[in-house]
Amino acid sequence: MSGHVFEHESPDRFIPGTVGMPGGRTFYLQAVSGTTITSVLLEKEQVEMLGERINELLDTVRSKSMGESNIPVTALPDYVDNSGLTMPVDSEFRVGTMSLGWDTRIHRLVIECFELSEADREAGISAEPHEDTERDVLRVTLDAVQAREFARHAELVVNAGRADCPFCSLPLDPEGHICPRANGVAR
């Protein structure tokens, strides 16, 4: 058995984004193909890791192709997308695990985000795609230019949170924080 597959081949947009104020943000991935919008909920660390792994995979494919690929070294300025999420954001599911691969046939990046099931959430373990379980999946296919832009945008979104304390490097809340480097004195 398998769950619903939300398929986006070469979407118009595929971006990470947030809803909420720094320190209380909720992170999403959103794929937009025409009038079809699919949003999934995930953790900040998952967005950060996905962006990093996309860049690593593109760099590997680029180096193995010996200059014969059309993979840009960095995001191209003409394709920068700094727009936010399309509102309202209605999440289809919470992401458990993700897979990332390069399809050598079509020369595109394939990202799969698998649903975190209720049983996994209660047990505190991550979702793994199994044949005997029914999980929704978001599958997105991107060209190298779209993938580089996603990675660039992911880094911006992750780093747009709270500023770090200059003493302990922990995030500062608007009202300050108890700094361990100042022996518990509020900063």
Side-chain angles (χ1 to χ4, degrees):
M1 278 170 42
S2 63
H4 188 267
V5 177
F6 299 92
E7 184 91 35
H8 290 268
E9 291 185 28
S10 299
D12 300 326
R13 296 181 76 211
F14 181 59
I15 62 164
T18 63
V19 173
M21 298 301 292
R25 298 184 297 168
T26 303
F27 287 78
Y28 295 92
L29 294 180
Q30 190 175 75
V32 179
S33 298
T35 59
T36 303
I37 301 172
T38 306
S39 302
V40 294
L41 180 69
L42 71 169
E43 298 296 326
K44 175 182 179 179
E45 292 79 11
Q46 289 173 299
V47 173
E48 182 176 30
M49 194 64 63
L50 182 58
E52 290 172 2
R53 295 299 181 261
I54 285 173
N55 275 332
E56 288 173 9
L57 180 60
L58 292 174
D59 290 344
T60 300
V61 171
R62 190 172 193 281
S63 70
K64 300 240 184 234
S65 70
M66 299 201 202
E68 296 178 18
S69 71
N70 293 331
I71 300 174
V73 177
T74 60
L76 301 177
D78 291 346
Y79 295 91
V80 168
D81 180 359
N82 287 325
S83 301
L85 298 169
T86 301
M87 295 296 179
V89 178
D90 295 320
S91 178
E92 299 296 338
F93 58 87
R94 177 178 284 280
V95 175
T97 57
M98 297 180 285
S99 69
L100 182 63
W102 183 259
D103 188 327
T104 57
R105 259 182 328 101
I106 59 174
H107 304 287
R108 292 188 178 269
L109 184 82
V110 180
I111 301 167
E112 292 180 322
C113 301
F114 296 92
E115 176 184 19
L116 179 66
S117 72
E118 189 61 38
D120 293 333
R121 193 176 298 131
E122 289 172 5
I125 58 175
S126 65
E128 294 291 336
H130 297 292
E131 291 178 19
D132 60 338
T133 60
E134 191 172 318
R135 298 187 192 275
D136 290 345
V137 62
L138 168 63
R139 183 176 300 126
V140 180
T141 307
L142 304 173
D143 64 31
V145 173
Q146 289 173 307
R148 282 287 190 206
E149 173 51 24
F150 176 89
R152 183 202 67 82
H153 196 121
E155 184 178 3
L156 282 177
V157 167
V158 167
N159 292 329
R162 298 173 285 176
D164 292 336
C165 173
F167 301 105
C168 69
S169 299
L170 291 174
L172 286 171
D173 291 321
E175 61 276 352
H177 80 130
I178 305 299
C179 183
R181 296 280 312 263
N183 293 325
V185 176
R187 295 215 178 256

